[in-house]
Amino acid sequence: MEEILIKELWAASTDLKACRVILKDEPFPRVIHPYGVCKTSRGKIVVVCKQTAGFTKAGRTAGYRNLGMLKFQEVEMLEESFEPASDFNPEDPQYGEWIYHI
């Protein structure tokens, strides 16, 4: 299942398309711009993205997120295109080992 979700995210990233994602234990979906998938220094697989809408913790606004891959239940590529933010730095050490990135 994880491989299928990563392939769907990769396809959306390659086409620069937003995604609607559903994560476990969240009441409604998120809309994200997928920037890549990486393995953190602690061995956790995360989706690096910019969230533009949907569920978030109280008080948080749209912005960058590192979402745990194990929480993903569904990914749907949307028609909405996006441009990568100019401040995205895939060389930032927080990202660890990339599986892929834009």
Side-chain angles (χ1 to χ4, degrees):
M1 172 82 164
E2 190 175 296
E3 283 184 27
I4 293 169
L5 294 175
I6 290 173
K7 286 180 182 179
E8 290 176 21
L9 288 162
W10 177 79
S13 298
T14 300
D15 291 344
L16 297 176
K17 295 290 187 181
C19 291
R20 182 184 62 84
V21 298
I22 297 175
L23 277 61
K24 292 177 188 170
D25 301 322
E26 292 189 353
F28 49 93
R30 299 172 184 236
V31 176
I32 64 167
H33 297 167
Y35 281 40
V37 175
C38 72
K39 185 175 182 179
T40 68
S41 60
R42 295 183 180 181
K44 185 177 178 183
I45 305 293
V46 297
V47 176
V48 177
C49 62
K50 194 155 197 181
Q51 182 172 330
T52 60
F55 183 78
T56 190
K57 293 180 182 175
R60 292 194 72 184
T61 57
Y64 287 107
R65 303 280 190 277
N66 295 335
L67 304 173
M69 190 76 225
L70 293 178
K71 292 186 175 187
F72 276 65
Q73 291 185 310
E74 185 178 319
V75 174
E76 176 189 1
M77 188 179 350
L78 303 174
E79 291 298 319
E80 173 191 337
S81 296
F82 71 91
E83 288 292 324
S86 61
D87 64 348
F88 174 61
N89 177 11
E91 302 304 319
D92 189 313
Q94 73 168 309
Y95 297 127
E97 181 184 338
W98 284 104
I99 294 171
Y100 83 87
H101 67 81
I102 56 174

